[in-house]
Amino acid sequence: MELPKGKAGAAAAGKLLLSSLLDSKDELEERLERCVGIVISLTNGLSEREANDALNAHICKGTPQHEEICLGLFTLVLTDPAQAQKCYRDLALVSRDGMNIVLNKINHILMEKYLKLQDTCRTQLVWLLRELVKSGVLGADGVCMTFMKQIAGGDVTAKNIWLAENVLEILMEQREWVLKSSLLVAMAVYTYLRLIVDHHGTAALQALRQKEVEFCISLLRERFMDCFMIGRDLVRLLQNVARIPEFEQLWKDILHNPQVLSSQFTGVLQLLQSRTSRKFLACRLTPDMETKLLFMTSRVRFGQQKRYQDWFQRQYLSTPDSQSLRCDLIRYICGVVHPSNEVLSSDILPRWAIIGWLLTTCTSNVAASNAKLALFYDWLFFNPEKDSIMNIEPAILVMHHSMKPHPAITATLLDFMCRIIPNFYPPLEAHVRQGVFNSLTHIVEKRVLAHLAPLFDNPKLDKELRAMLREKFPEFCSSPSPPIEVKIEEPVPMEMENHLEKDDGCYDNAEAAFSDDEEELNSKGKKREFRFHPIKESIVEEPVDITPFLEQLDESLKDKVLQLQKGSDTEAQCEVMQEIVDQVLEEDFDSEQLSVLASCLQELFKAHFRGEVLPEEITEESLEESVGKPLYLIFRNLCQMQEDNSGFSLLLDLLSELYQKQPKIGYHLLYYLRASKIALGRMVLYESCVCQVCCARYQVCQVRARCAVPGVCQVLCPPSKAALGRMGLYESFAQATQLGELHTCLMMDMKACQEDDVRLLCFLTPSIYTEFPDETLRSGELLNMIVAVIDSFQLQELVCHVMMGNLVMFRKDSVLNILIQSLDWETFEQYCTWQLFLAHNIPLETIIPILQHLKYKEHPEALSCLLLQLRREKPSEEMVKMVLSRPCHPEDQFTTSILRHWGLRHDDLLGEHIKALLIKNNSLPRKRQSLRSSSSKLAQLTLEQILEHLDNLRLNLTNTKQNFFSQTPILQALQHVQASCDEAHKMKFSDLFSLAEEYEDSSSKPPKSRRKATALSSPRSRKNAAQPPNNEEESGSSSASEEEDTKPKPAKRKRKGSSAVGSDSD
C-alpha cells in the first residue's frame, strides 16, 4: 500500500477527536495514532503488493501486531477520506478475525467518543458502516444498532438529522441484509417510529419523515412478528403516529383484521400483554444521556441533585422539540433503572424524584399527557407473574411524595389514572381496570406503601376526585368513617425533589403515618441525616372479632381468652396467658382445640407482629422488657420444660399451629431465645470448668464442650442427653412444624426477618451462625440475605463481631463455594461478602482457585478484592500457577499488576516459581497431559499463557529500574523453552527470548578460569554480587549449567531433558 509522504503526514497528524488547548491528549487517540505510525512505517515507499506483504508479515508475529495493523488501517479510513477505499480493501485482506477488532473499536468510539469526533471522522464512520453492511460482515448489525442509539429523540439539529437520514438510507439500500436479523428489524422500527414524531415543519424534514413512514410500514407489514418482540411499547408509538394515513390503515388491520399481518397475531390485546424488553427502552437514549441518568440514580445524593438536573435540562430539554424526549426518559427510568436494595435503602436520589422533576418542568400539554401515559403504561395490563414491581413503583411513589409539597401533581396523576381506564381503548376497559387493580394490589402486597387510603382519601384532594377514587377503587379506600386528618404544611417551591426528605421513602414494614415537618430537625436544630426509614402512617385499629373461634372452645378456655381480649394491661394479659398455658398442659386438655386457640391468639396479638421488635437502645433491661409480651409466655414455658415432658410437645404443637397462621412467629422465637435471660441461662447453667452432676430439672449438662474432665462428663451426661444449647428449642420447633426440617424453616424465618426488620436480622446473625453452623456455613443462602439489606454501619458491626470471635461466617471446607455463589450478587453485596471474608483468618490459598471463575468484565468486584489481598502475600507456587492460568487479554491487567508487585517485592521467590512452571509446562505432550489430569481442575496452564503474561510483564517493566528479567533462574528457563519451542513461538516471543540469548552469549565465551568467568559473565551476575554468601553457591551451579549450555548448536535440541535443567526445576 503506497502512501505519498504529504498525505501520510497529514493523516498521521490529523486529529480524530475535538479538543481544546486545556484538554490532555486522549489515550485512545494516542494509541490509534501510534498504530497509524506503524502502518506508515511498514508501507512507506513500497508498491501496493510489497506493502501488502509487509503488513501480512508483521501480522504473523502475533495478536498484538494484528491488532496494531487493523487499528492503523481503520484510523486511516476515518482521518483520510482520499485513501479510505484503498485502506478498507487492505483491511479486509489482512484482517484475520472477521473484522472483529474493528467492529469492537467502532462500538467503543460510538458509545464513548462520538460527541468528540471530528465531522470528517463522523462522515467516514458512516461510510465505513455502509461498506461493512455491503460486505455482509458478521456483527455489522450490532454496529448499526449502536449508530441508531446515537440518533437523539427530540433533536432536529442538522447533525442529528444527517445521522438519522444516512443510517436510514443504509437500511433501505440493504433491505435484504436487514431482513436477516429479527432484532435489527425490531430495533429499526422502534427507532424510526419514535423519530417520525419529531420530523415535521420544513420540506427537508417532511421528505425524511415520508421515507421513515414508508420504511416502517413496509417492515411492519412484511415482518410483523419480528416487530411483535417490541411488546406493548409498539402500541404506544403507533398511537403517536395514528393520524398519518399509512398508519391509520395499519391500525384498522391491527384492530379488525389482525390475521392480515400475521397468522400468529390474534389482536392488539396480545401485544399489550407483552412486556417491552429493556433493550428497546434503552435504545432511545443516547449513550451520553444514559450515562448522566445512571450517574444521578446511583451517585448523586438526594437533595443535592439540582445542579445535575439543571445541566441535563440545558443540554437536552431546553427546546420545544425536545419535550417529546420526556416520554423516553420516563420509560427508561421505569423499565431499565432498577436500583439494588443497597441503593434503595441509601440516601441516593430515588427514581420518583427524577420523574417528579420531569413532570413539573414540562412546558407542553401534549408532552405532559404523553409523559403521564408513559409513567402509567405498565399499569394498564400489569400481570404480577410477568411484570416487575419496579416498573410500577415510581408512579405510586411520585403521587405519595408529591402530596405534601405539590398536591396538584398528585391530583393530576390520580385523575389521569382514573380516566385512562375507560378512555384508553373502550373495548378493553375491563382488562385495563384489572391491570390497574393488579398494580395497586401488588404495590400493597410488596409493601411499597402499607396502605393506599391515606393517598386516595386525603383531605388535600378535592371532593370530586375523592368520590371518583372511591367509585373506581373501593377496595383501597378507607372505611366510611371519616378519614384521619393529616397535618400538611403549605407547598414548598417547585423544586420538589430538592426539599423532600428521603425518609418519607418506600418499602415500609411498619405502621404508616405522615411525619410532621418538625421531625426533620432534631432536638439540637441540626438537619437530620438522610437514612432509610419506613413510612409512618396511621393505622386505624379495627376491633378484633374472634366470635367464630370462641364457640369452638371449652367454656373455661373460652373465658380466659375473653379475659385476654378485654385486658389492656400487659402484666394482666401475661397472667391470663400463663393460665391458658397451664390449662393446655393439663392432662385432660383436648389437643384438637390447639388450632382454634392458635387462631384466637393470632388475632388477639396482631400488634406483636407489627413494627420493630428490637429496642432502639439495646441494654440488658430493654431486652428483658421487650420479651415480656404475653405471647412470649409460650416460649418461656418451653424453655423451662424438660423435652421428654408430654406438655413440651403440646406447646410445640400450639406453636406449630400459630406458625401456619403467622409465619413471623419463627423469628420472634429466635429473638426470644437470643434476648431472654432465661434463654441465656439455659445455655450457661454452670460457669465452673469442672463438670457437675446434671441439673435435676433440665437433665442436661450445658458445659460439656468446655468440661475439664470430659470422661466424667460423658458418663454423667451421655451425648443423647446433652444440651442442644440455647437454640436447641428452635430445632425442636422446626421439626414440629409442617416443614419438618431445620434448614428450610430457619431460612424462611430469616427471610421473613430480613423483609421486616434489618436491625433484628443483624442482631440475630451471630447467634444463628454460632448455634447452627451446619445450616448456615454450607451455602451462601443466609449470607446473601444479610448482605442484600445491610448498610455500611451494620457491615462494620458484623466485621467487629468476626474479629472479636463472636461470629464465624466462613469455614475452610465451604468458603470457596460460597464466594463462587456470590459472583452473581449485586456489587455492594459482593463487597460486603469480601469484607466479611477478609475479617476471618482463612489462608488465601483456600480460595485462590476462584481465579478460574473470574472474568475481568463480569467480576470486577471479586478481582479487585482478591488483588488487594494477594499483594499482602508472599507468592507461593500454587498462587503463581493460578495467577498465570488466567487467559491473557489486553484489557485484563490483573495478572500483570500482581506479577509486577511480586516482582518488585519478592523477585527471587517469584523467579524460582516461574522457572519451575515454565520447565514443567515445556515437557513432552504426554507428560503435560498427565500433569493436567493429576492437578484436577485447579490449573489449566499452558506454556503460551505463561509466555504471554511474562511478555506483558516485560513491557510493563521496560521503563523501570527493576531487573526482574536479569535473574539467572528466569533466563535459564527462557533459554530452556527457546531451545525446544517451535518457530511460531520463537517469532511471537522474540523480544522475550532475546533476553535469554543475551545471557547465552555472555555465558558462552570461553573464560580463562571458571571463577573469573562466573564473576564477570554478565551485568546481571555483577548486580547479584551484593550477596556474597549465596553468590558462591550460585556461582558453582551457574558455572555447571553454563558448561552444559556451551555445547555446539546441533546438540541444543538434545538438552530438553538434561540433568542440569532437571535439577534446576526441583
Side-chain angles (χ1 to χ4, degrees):
M1 184 180 71
E2 187 175 357
L3 290 173
K5 289 184 179 178
K7 291 185 179 179
K15 278 192 170 184
L16 186 73
L17 306 175
L18 294 167
S19 61
S20 67
L21 294 173
L22 299 177
D23 291 333
S24 59
K25 191 75 171 176
D26 187 84
E27 290 182 9
L28 173 64
E29 189 172 15
E30 280 187 332
R31 186 187 178 201
L32 293 179
E33 285 177 358
R34 283 197 302 271
C35 294
V36 170
I38 292 170
V39 172
I40 292 173
S41 66
L42 289 171
T43 60
N44 201 17
L46 301 179
S47 67
E48 188 169 342
R49 182 164 186 170
E50 290 171 338
N52 195 270
D53 291 340
L55 293 176
N56 276 305
H58 189 72
I59 280 176
C60 288
K61 292 181 180 180
T63 304
Q65 288 76 15
H66 174 253
E67 188 170 350
E68 288 169 355
I69 298 302
C70 289
L71 292 181
L73 291 170
F74 162 68
T75 310
L76 285 170
V77 169
L78 297 188
T79 56
D80 191 354
Q83 296 284 339
Q85 190 69 53
K86 193 175 185 181
C87 292
Y88 179 74
R89 186 172 65 249
D90 291 335
L91 180 60
L93 289 172
V94 301
S95 177
R96 300 190 176 183
D97 62 352
M99 296 277 201
N100 193 46
I101 290 173
V102 174
L103 294 174
N104 288 337
K105 195 55 63 180
I106 294 174
N107 278 323
H108 175 69
I109 289 174
L110 285 172
M111 293 298 289
E112 298 185 17
K113 307 291 182 183
Y114 184 79
L115 296 178
K116 292 184 177 181
L117 271 183
Q118 296 275 8
D119 289 346
T120 302
C121 297
R122 292 191 187 192
T123 305
Q124 287 304 109
L125 206 54
V126 173
W127 178 88
L128 180 57
L129 173 65
R130 181 177 273 106
E131 295 301 314
L132 292 170
V133 172
K134 282 181 183 177
S135 305
V137 174
L138 190 64
D141 55 340
V143 174
C144 198
M145 286 186 274
T146 312
F147 263 101
M148 287 191 288
K149 185 175 175 65
Q150 273 295 352
I151 307 171
D155 183 359
V156 290
T157 57
K159 288 184 179 179
N160 196 59
I161 295 299
W162 171 85
L163 181 61
E165 191 165 11
N166 276 271
V167 173
L168 180 62
E169 285 177 2
I170 294 172
L171 295 174
M172 295 177 76
E173 288 170 7
Q174 305 297 325
R175 181 181 177 80
E176 293 303 318
W177 173 82
V178 172
L179 294 178
K180 293 177 183 178
S181 171
S182 299
L183 181 59
L184 181 58
V185 169
M187 198 69 75
V189 168
Y190 189 85
T191 298
Y192 283 98
L193 267 180
R194 165 64 187 87
L195 295 175
I196 287 172
V197 179
D198 298 331
H199 299 161
H200 57 84
T202 66
L205 287 179
Q206 291 285 5
L208 173 59
R209 176 175 179 164
Q210 188 57 36
K211 288 182 187 177
E212 292 167 339
V213 169
E214 292 170 2
F215 174 73
C216 292
I217 284 290
S218 64
L219 289 182
L220 281 165
R221 288 200 173 275
E222 291 179 33
R223 292 298 182 92
F224 187 81
M225 290 315 292
D226 288 345
C227 301
F228 184 89
M229 74 167 73
I230 296 172
R232 60 175 65 111
D233 274 80
L234 176 60
V235 177
R236 182 176 64 85
L237 296 183
L238 286 171
Q239 284 177 293
N240 294 335
V241 296
R243 295 193 178 184
I244 298 174
E246 292 88 343
F247 286 108
E248 192 173 356
Q249 184 58 46
L250 179 69
W251 264 113
K252 289 178 181 177
D253 289 338
I254 291 174
L255 296 177
H256 307 300
N257 197 10
Q259 297 292 312
V260 171
L261 299 172
S262 172
S263 59
Q264 301 172 30
F265 182 50
T266 58
V268 70
L269 179 61
Q270 181 188 4
L271 193 53
L272 287 166
Q273 289 175 336
S274 175
R275 179 181 173 185
T276 298
S277 170
R278 291 182 176 193
K279 57 178 170 279
F280 293 106
L281 300 177
C283 83
R284 290 317 317 127
L285 267 64
T286 66
D288 189 59
M289 292 180 196
E290 194 169 10
T291 302
K292 300 299 188 296
L293 270 184
L294 291 175
F295 178 82
M296 283 197 283
T297 55
S298 62
R299 302 287 295 279
V300 177
R301 293 181 180 276
F302 188 64
Q304 300 176 4
Q305 70 272 25
K306 189 175 188 305
R307 55 187 292 228
Y308 302 102
Q309 291 173 346
D310 289 346
W311 181 93
F312 199 95
Q313 176 90 18
R314 288 194 305 271
Q315 190 77 6
Y316 296 115
L317 298 170
S318 58
T319 65
D321 293 309
S322 64
Q323 298 306 307
S324 62
L325 180 62
R326 295 178 189 271
C327 297
D328 300 330
L329 295 171
I330 289 173
R331 293 299 295 145
Y332 178 84
I333 293 169
C334 291
V336 181
V337 183
H338 290 176
S340 64
N341 290 331
E342 170 221 346
V343 174
L344 288 173
S345 61
S346 70
D347 58 355
I348 296 298
L349 179 65
R351 297 186 300 163
W352 61 261
I354 299 178
I355 291 176
W357 160 66
L358 290 171
L359 291 172
T360 54
T361 55
C362 191
T363 58
S364 161
N365 290 333
V366 174
S369 297
N370 289 336
K372 285 182 277 190
L373 180 62
L375 180 60
F376 282 103
Y377 207 66
D378 287 310
W379 288 53
L380 307 183
F381 296 89
F382 183 79
N383 183 348
E385 295 179 1
K386 296 179 182 178
D387 296 305
S388 169
I389 182 68
M390 299 299 284
N391 289 19
I392 61 174
E393 176 232 50
I396 197 70
L397 291 182
V398 169
M399 294 188 284
H400 173 76
H401 291 286
S402 300
M403 181 63 80
K404 184 188 290 186
H406 298 293
I409 293 291
T410 302
T412 302
L413 293 176
L414 287 172
D415 182 75
F416 182 88
M417 183 180 69
C418 292
R419 296 183 189 279
I420 196 67
I421 295 174
N423 294 311
F424 179 73
Y425 181 48
L428 295 181
E429 180 181 352
H431 290 88
V432 177
R433 184 185 303 279
Q434 185 62 46
V436 175
F437 179 82
N438 289 345
S439 301
L440 294 171
T441 304
H442 206 51
I443 284 166
V444 174
E445 287 177 353
K446 292 295 183 182
R447 312 293 288 173
V448 178
L449 292 181
H451 300 280
L452 296 176
L455 179 65
F456 285 3
D457 209 13
N458 195 289
K460 276 285 179 180
L461 304 176
D462 62 68
K463 293 181 180 179
E464 291 181 4
L465 179 56
R466 287 159 67 185
M468 183 163 58
L469 286 166
R470 286 196 201 98
E471 178 189 350
K472 299 283 186 185
F473 311 108
E475 304 88 348
F476 303 104
C477 294
S478 59
S479 56
S481 59
I484 300 169
E485 289 294 325
V486 182
K487 180 183 176 184
I488 300 180
E489 297 291 332
E490 289 301 313
V492 296
M494 283 299 287
E495 297 88 33
M496 70 176 201
E497 63 283 354
N498 296 315
H499 299 275
L500 293 178
E501 276 288 5
K502 179 69 184 279
D503 57 5
D504 286 338
C506 54
Y507 304 106
D508 63 297
N509 54 4
E511 301 160 348
F514 289 107
S515 59
D516 292 335
D517 284 352
E518 296 85 35
E519 293 176 0
E520 296 179 359
L521 300 177
N522 62 18
S523 57
K524 295 182 181 179
K526 296 180 180 178
K527 192 171 182 179
R528 185 170 52 188
E529 179 188 1
F530 285 112
R531 288 185 67 86
F532 176 74
H533 295 294
I535 302 170
K536 303 292 184 183
E537 295 179 354
S538 298
I539 293 180
V540 180
E541 291 288 349
E542 299 179 0
V544 177
D545 183 17
I546 57 172
T547 308
F549 305 117
L550 288 174
E551 296 172 357
Q552 303 176 50
L553 294 175
D554 290 344
E555 285 301 321
S556 57
L557 195 57
K558 179 179 177 180
D559 293 340
K560 291 183 175 62
V561 171
L562 285 172
Q563 289 178 36
L564 197 62
Q565 182 182 17
K566 293 174 183 177
S568 56
D569 180 64
T570 303
E571 188 174 344
Q573 283 186 322
C574 286
E575 291 178 3
V576 177
M577 189 67 204
Q578 183 60 51
E579 292 177 8
I580 291 174
V581 171
D582 291 338
Q583 185 166 341
V584 170
L585 296 176
E586 291 177 1
E587 293 183 3
D588 59 346
F589 181 77
D590 183 5
S591 59
E592 293 182 0
Q593 294 199 24
L594 287 177
S595 178
V596 182
L597 177 59
S599 298
C600 292
L601 296 177
Q602 186 267 333
E603 289 292 330
L604 292 174
F605 295 130
K606 276 184 178 178
H608 283 18
F609 305 105
R610 193 183 298 130
E612 295 183 352
V613 179
L614 195 65
E616 189 67 31
E617 184 179 352
I618 300 176
T619 62
E620 189 176 335
E621 292 77 13
S622 63
L623 286 176
E624 189 63 26
E625 184 179 349
S626 70
V627 296
K629 299 175 181 177
L631 192 61
Y632 287 2
L633 261 294
I634 302 174
F635 304 157
R636 180 177 299 178
N637 279 272
L638 280 167
C639 284
Q640 294 172 347
M641 293 181 70
Q642 191 174 324
E643 292 191 18
D644 56 4
N645 190 322
S646 59
F648 184 84
S649 59
L650 263 179
L651 286 185
L652 278 184
D653 290 341
L654 176 59
L655 270 189
S656 177
E657 294 290 343
L658 266 172
Y659 188 66
Q660 290 182 46
K661 300 171 182 5
Q662 177 53 270
K664 295 182 182 183
I665 197 77
Y667 72 75
H668 278 260
L669 173 58
L670 288 170
Y671 172 69
Y672 178 85
L673 296 173
R674 170 78 172 84
S676 169
K677 282 185 178 180
I678 296 174
L680 292 172
R682 188 169 189 244
M683 173 128 184
V684 189
L685 286 177
Y686 310 109
E687 293 300 331
S688 170
C689 290
V690 179
C691 182
Q692 303 177 32
V693 177
C694 299
C695 171
R697 181 166 187 175
Y698 292 100
Q699 301 269 326
V700 289
C701 175
Q702 304 294 335
V703 290
R704 179 170 173 257
R706 296 178 292 158
C707 181
V709 192
V712 176
C713 181
Q714 289 174 15
V715 172
L716 296 174
C717 304
S720 59
K721 296 290 184 181
L724 294 173
R726 62 176 141 172
M727 294 295 180
L729 173 59
Y730 180 81
E731 187 169 354
S732 301
F733 160 74
Q735 292 168 355
T737 63
Q738 284 191 339
L739 299 172
E741 198 258 324
L742 175 60
H743 178 80
T744 306
C745 188
L746 181 63
M747 292 303 118
M748 286 182 65
D749 289 341
M750 295 304 285
K751 182 64 178 174
C753 180
Q754 178 223 39
E755 293 172 353
D756 289 350
D757 193 341
V758 178
R759 286 181 65 241
L760 179 58
L761 178 72
C762 295
F763 179 76
L764 292 176
T765 294
S767 58
I768 298 299
Y769 270 95
T770 302
E771 299 297 332
F772 304 113
D774 291 337
E775 311 304 325
T776 54
L777 298 176
R778 287 182 304 178
S779 70
E781 188 175 355
L782 178 58
L783 178 64
N784 192 15
M785 289 183 206
I786 296 167
V787 297
V789 293
I790 60 174
D791 57 24
S792 53
F793 174 74
Q794 290 159 338
L795 171 63
Q796 189 259 348
E797 281 188 328
L798 291 176
V799 169
C800 291
H801 278 302
V802 172
M803 297 192 68
M804 290 190 296
N806 301 331
L807 174 61
V808 176
M809 304 181 80
F810 299 98
R811 62 185 181 193
K812 290 184 181 180
D813 62 343
S814 57
V815 62
L816 179 59
N817 288 332
I818 292 177
L819 290 177
I820 291 172
Q821 290 175 33
S822 73
L823 298 178
D824 296 326
W825 301 351
E826 297 286 346
T827 293
F828 184 74
E829 296 170 13
Q830 290 192 53
Y831 279 127
C832 288
T833 302
W834 280 94
Q835 290 287 322
L836 292 168
F837 164 74
L838 294 177
H840 291 71
N841 192 25
I842 297 177
L844 200 61
E845 287 85 350
T846 308
I847 59 127
I848 198 68
I850 198 177
L851 269 174
Q852 290 184 316
H853 300 268
L854 303 182
K855 298 178 181 177
Y856 74 99
K857 282 189 176 179
E858 297 176 19
H859 308 120
E861 303 90 350
L863 281 170
S864 58
C865 292
L866 197 56
L867 183 63
L868 292 175
Q869 190 61 16
L870 279 171
R871 73 192 296 270
R872 298 189 179 97
E873 304 281 333
K874 284 187 178 181
S876 65
E877 185 172 343
E878 184 63 23
M879 284 183 188
V880 177
K881 179 181 178 183
M882 295 305 304
V883 166
L884 290 173
S885 67
R886 288 185 61 73
C888 195
H889 192 281
E891 295 180 23
D892 185 5
Q893 301 295 323
F894 179 90
T895 300
T896 305
S897 57
I898 190 59
L899 289 179
R900 185 181 191 278
H901 176 79
W902 281 339
L904 293 172
R905 299 292 179 90
H906 312 286
D907 53 347
D908 295 343
L909 194 57
L910 180 61
E912 290 294 340
H913 293 325
I914 289 178
K915 174 184 175 182
L917 291 170
L918 272 172
I919 293 172
K920 284 181 184 176
N921 284 273
N922 193 38
S923 57
L924 293 173
R926 286 196 308 274
K927 294 180 180 178
R928 184 161 65 247
Q929 289 168 7
S930 64
L931 282 171
R932 287 188 179 178
S933 62
S934 64
S935 63
S936 68
K937 296 180 181 178
L938 289 184
Q940 297 299 325
L941 186 60
T942 65
L943 177 63
E944 186 168 356
Q945 271 181 310
I946 301 177
L947 293 175
E948 284 180 338
H949 288 306
L950 287 180
D951 203 32
N952 287 339
L953 180 61
R954 177 187 63 79
L955 292 172
N956 189 267
L957 294 174
T958 300
N959 297 322
T960 67
K961 296 181 181 180
Q962 223 290 328
N963 293 319
F964 175 75
F965 284 97
S966 65
Q967 296 181 89
T968 299
I970 293 289
L971 297 170
Q972 287 177 340
L974 289 175
Q975 204 174 27
H976 175 67
V977 172
Q978 186 185 21
S980 58
C981 69
D982 55 28
E983 290 301 321
H985 282 83
K986 286 181 181 178
M987 182 175 292
K988 183 175 182 179
F989 302 108
S990 56
D991 292 338
L992 190 62
F993 287 137
S994 66
L995 301 173
E997 288 171 1
E998 292 172 12
Y999 170 73
E1000 182 179 4
D1001 292 342
S1002 63
S1003 62
S1004 62
K1005 294 177 183 178
K1008 292 182 180 179
S1009 67
R1010 284 183 185 172
R1011 184 172 298 176
K1012 185 176 180 181
T1014 305
L1016 303 175
S1017 61
S1018 70
R1020 304 176 188 93
S1021 60
R1022 286 199 297 274
K1023 182 181 177 185
N1024 294 334
Q1027 302 169 349
N1030 295 333
N1031 204 30
E1032 288 288 327
E1033 297 172 9
E1034 287 180 16
S1035 298
S1037 61
S1038 177
S1039 300
S1041 63
E1042 286 171 15
E1043 196 170 340
E1044 294 274 338
D1045 292 339
T1046 54
K1047 292 180 181 180
K1049 293 276 182 181
K1052 223 175 208 183
R1053 295 189 181 278
K1054 296 181 181 179
R1055 287 194 287 105
K1056 275 188 183 178
S1058 66
S1059 60
V1061 176
S1063 62
D1064 287 338
S1065 67
D1066 287 343

